[in-house]
Amino acid sequence: MTPDSSAMDKNFDVIIVGAGPSGLAAATTCARAGLKTIVIERGDRPGTKNVMGGILYTRPTAGVWPEFWKEAPLERPIFEQQYWMLTPDSALKFGYRSEQFVGDVPNAFSVLRVKVDRYFAEQTEKAGALIICQTLVEEVLTDGDRVKGVRCGREDGELYAPVVILCEGVNPELGKTLGMQQRLKPSQVASITKEIISLPQETINDRFNLPGDDRGVAIELMADATAGLLGMGFIYTNSNTLSVGVGALLQDAMDSQYTPYDLLVRMKTHPMVAPLLQGGETLEYVSHMIPEGGYGAMPQLFGDGIMVCGDAAMLVNSLHREGSNLAITSGKLAAETAVEAHDKGDFSAKTLHGYRGRLEQSVVLPDLRKYRNATRFMETHPVFDVYPEFASDAAREMLTVDGESKRAKQWKLMRMLFQRRTIFGLAWDGLDAGRSFL
Amino acid sequence: MSEHKQNVGLPDKLYKVKYKTDERSHLKIKDQGVCAQCEDKPCIARCPAEVYEDEHGQILVAYENCLECGVCKIVCPFDNIEWEYPRGGYGVVWKFG
């Protein structure tokens, strides 16, 4: 991994930009197929520039690294998912806990990316790929319209390959320069802040009602968690830390008085959240963007000698908190397409079009297409204030025993709902929800 | 936005972040004249790390605090921030990520 450009052969079968989930998945797949593969990473070592909320889905990951969960440095298998709708002093909670989530193949794990990416990078090297760190790719080299390699930010830093896979992440600077990407808009990204908070394992187990450190919970927090902004908060239990974060669509956040840091402090001090974090020490403060433009905002996914994967390709299903799995799958599929191109000896867009076809055959594009209207729906309907507040009021009203009959309470709630949303508003919300999500 | 005291406690949090600071900035204001005309200056409030500061209409850039999220270049209404990745090996070094 030590860069020594002078001694290195400069010709490769495939060059991959970025050692995140999509880049490492692509590199592992290419190297296993026998391609001479190089990954170029700007960070100190793989992982040190990478951020995610912290839930890694097992099966898509095992599609590249089989049985990785038996040895990778993961935090806890997640056997419970909770959703909390917060109002300033209340929480309406839904949850599902199942031992089936931690069977032979646990469904998901909480992870800390720096640790886990280091492991995936080691697996990638074992597969035969070369990973060069501390190196920024400054330019994709072209010969006419055709990509022929990259220029790195070091002396004599030109490397050549007939196909380049861009796995740059949410800031796709090379893709933009190539004209494959537009400048991202505030309506297409969420801004996230997060803290890693240290607590003794026993304390975490007690506070989250976990039987041991081999069980974890993921909590998503809505409504007042984001001060009503379009977004979500989260608390994930790691082994002896918590990942506590909040994010909001940048467009929405720009109209708010809360800075990204203040939004996080606000959630951390919420009366339903604060007791869980009490006494914890913050080990790291993190910020990141999530691309949320969805299907309609995807960039050009391929061209002559080039393919784009993961966050750089906007492959995120924010409604279902899926990103790294789509990144890994897209990296693998781009790699399979690169292998096919080598077999054919044709690296033109005509062959690389197969990447898009493979994404169509997988869950990636069908899922993104299914939720293409989700962000627009949440922007245009009061799902982050009117409905959570009403649900909270309804729960409190029906659970309060005060001499008023249940029928009278129901009528009161009906009147309350119609005061907050007209019958046409309600009908439109329901119809559009059906159209957008079913 | 005026009464609300922003980012109380943030410096302590940034102190927990590990950086390898380059001597040259990867963030540049293209034209300070444009910022002087900008009413909202969303870069200041939207940056999670207080990189941008308004000093008598001039925008100061504390690039060494940058968490490399990319928000500033997106919220700038005039596309007036030249945002590059730090040179290879420089910038934020996440411990957990």
Side-chain angles (χ1 to χ4, degrees), chain A residues 126-252:
Chain A
K126 273 188 202 163
L130 181 65
I131 304 179
I132 298 288
C133 294
Q134 301 173 23
T135 304
L136 182 68
V137 174
E138 293 183 339
E139 189 188 351
V140 175
L141 301 171
T142 51
D143 188 358
D145 281 343
R146 189 166 300 251
V147 166
K148 64 168 186 182
V150 300
R151 183 174 53 76
C152 304
R154 51 175 67 246
E155 218 160 286
D156 215 10
E158 295 200 348
L159 300 173
Y160 304 99
V163 57
V164 173
I165 304 179
L166 294 181
C167 306
E168 299 181 85
V170 65
N171 290 298
E173 303 307 296
L174 296 170
K176 250 188 320 195
T177 311
L178 287 172
M180 299 176 82
Q181 306 255 4
Q182 302 290 314
R183 182 174 182 247
L184 292 174
K185 299 186 190 81
S187 58
Q188 295 171 330
V189 288
S191 163
I192 317 291
T193 44
K194 178 177 91 161
E195 286 179 28
I196 308 296
I197 298 174
S198 159
L199 278 170
Q201 210 165 71
E202 283 301 306
T203 308
I204 292 176
N205 295 346
D206 289 348
R207 286 185 187 173
F208 293 87
N209 186 23
L210 300 170
D213 67 337
D214 56 349
R215 297 284 187 282
V217 56
I219 306 173
E220 317 293 332
L221 305 100
M222 284 155 279
D224 194 56
T226 59
L229 299 176
L230 201 173
M232 223 186 265
F234 57 88
I235 303 172
Y236 303 145
T237 56
N238 302 320
S239 183
N240 51 11
T241 58
L242 301 174
S243 292
V244 181
V246 64
L249 195 71
L250 202 42
Q251 181 73 62
D252 236 23

Side-chain angles (χ1 to χ4, degrees), chain A residues 254-395:
Chain A
M254 283 170 79
D255 300 327
S256 141
Q257 62 171 324
Y258 298 106
T259 66
Y261 177 72
D262 288 344
L263 202 61
L264 181 57
V265 172
R266 189 180 178 281
M267 190 186 87
K268 281 173 59 191
T269 50
H270 188 281
M272 299 296 135
V273 176
L276 296 170
L277 315 180
Q278 201 187 354
E281 188 203 346
T282 297
L283 302 180
E284 186 163 61
Y285 167 67
V286 174
S287 178
H288 196 59
M289 287 197 300
I290 299 180
E292 303 212 334
Y295 187 77
M298 282 191 321
Q300 196 187 319
L301 295 172
F302 63 92
D304 284 324
I306 194 149
M307 290 176 274
V308 184
C309 302
D311 276 7
M314 225 0 114
L315 304 180
V316 171
N317 179 351
S318 45
L319 200 71
H320 282 263
R321 192 196 54 204
E322 292 179 31
S324 57
N325 56 324
L326 304 180
I328 288 168
T329 303
S330 68
K332 182 186 172 191
L333 298 178
E336 288 173 1
T337 311
V339 172
E340 186 198 342
H342 270 279
D343 288 345
K344 284 187 179 169
D346 175 10
F347 304 94
S348 69
K350 200 166 146 248
T351 301
L352 300 190
H353 185 265
Y355 170 47
R356 195 183 169 105
R358 286 177 169 90
L359 288 171
E360 286 285 4
Q361 296 300 311
S362 74
V363 302
V364 179
L365 288 186
D367 273 7
L368 287 187
R369 199 177 298 113
K370 174 167 162 57
Y371 294 113
R372 66 188 178 277
N373 289 321
T375 302
R376 181 200 52 79
F377 176 86
M378 289 185 282
E379 273 178 317
T380 46
H381 298 271
V383 286
F384 289 89
D385 39 39
V386 171
Y387 287 111
E389 281 158 23
F390 175 73
S392 177
D393 290 341

Side-chain angles (χ1 to χ4, degrees), chain A residues 42-44 47-52 112-115 134-136 168 170-173 176 183-186 189 191 193-196 250 253-254 256-262 268 281-289, chain B residues 1 3-10 13-14 16-18 20 24 42 44-49 67-80 83-97:
Chain A
R42 69 191 182 92
D44 221 26
T48 61
K49 294 287 187 185
N50 303 352
V51 173
M52 74 181 201
L112 294 165
R113 277 287 298 276
V114 175
K115 278 160 78 175
Q134 301 173 23
T135 304
L136 182 68
E168 299 181 85
V170 65
N171 290 298
E173 303 307 296
K176 250 188 320 195
R183 182 174 182 247
L184 292 174
K185 299 186 190 81
V189 288
S191 163
T193 44
K194 178 177 91 161
E195 286 179 28
I196 308 296
L250 202 42
M254 283 170 79
S256 141
Q257 62 171 324
Y258 298 106
T259 66
Y261 177 72
D262 288 344
K268 281 173 59 191
E281 188 203 346
T282 297
L283 302 180
E284 186 163 61
Y285 167 67
V286 174
S287 178
H288 196 59
M289 287 197 300
Chain B
M1 210 175 275
E3 316 85 37
H4 178 80
K5 187 121 172 56
Q6 288 183 337
N7 292 339
V8 177
L10 177 58
K13 294 292 155 57
L14 290 174
K16 309 270 185 179
V17 179
K18 188 178 161 195
K20 187 176 167 199
R24 71 176 198 212
I44 298 175
R46 287 305 113 215
C47 173
L67 302 175
E68 297 163 32
C69 69
V71 160
C72 55
K73 70 173 172 223
I74 291 176
V75 298
C76 177
F78 302 103
D79 194 9
N80 196 36
W83 191 101
E84 290 176 347
Y85 283 116
R87 287 194 289 170
Y90 287 100
V92 72
V93 184
W94 297 123
K95 295 174 285 186
F96 301 94

Side-chain angles (χ1 to χ4, degrees), chain B residues 23-86:
Chain B
E23 69 270 16
R24 71 176 198 212
S25 176
H26 62 287
L27 307 171
K28 286 185 199 80
I29 302 293
K30 292 179 191 169
D31 179 354
Q32 286 283 357
V34 170
C35 295
Q37 306 284 319
C38 178
E39 264 182 48
D40 293 339
K41 297 185 174 60
C43 56
I44 298 175
R46 287 305 113 215
C47 173
E50 287 191 320
V51 166
Y52 299 92
E53 196 190 334
D54 183 358
E55 201 179 73
H56 315 301
Q58 286 267 310
I59 297 287
L60 305 183
V61 184
Y63 72 93
E64 60 279 0
N65 279 356
C66 178
L67 302 175
E68 297 163 32
C69 69
V71 160
C72 55
K73 70 173 172 223
I74 291 176
V75 298
C76 177
F78 302 103
D79 194 9
N80 196 36
I81 298 173
E82 197 179 305
W83 191 101
E84 290 176 347
Y85 283 116

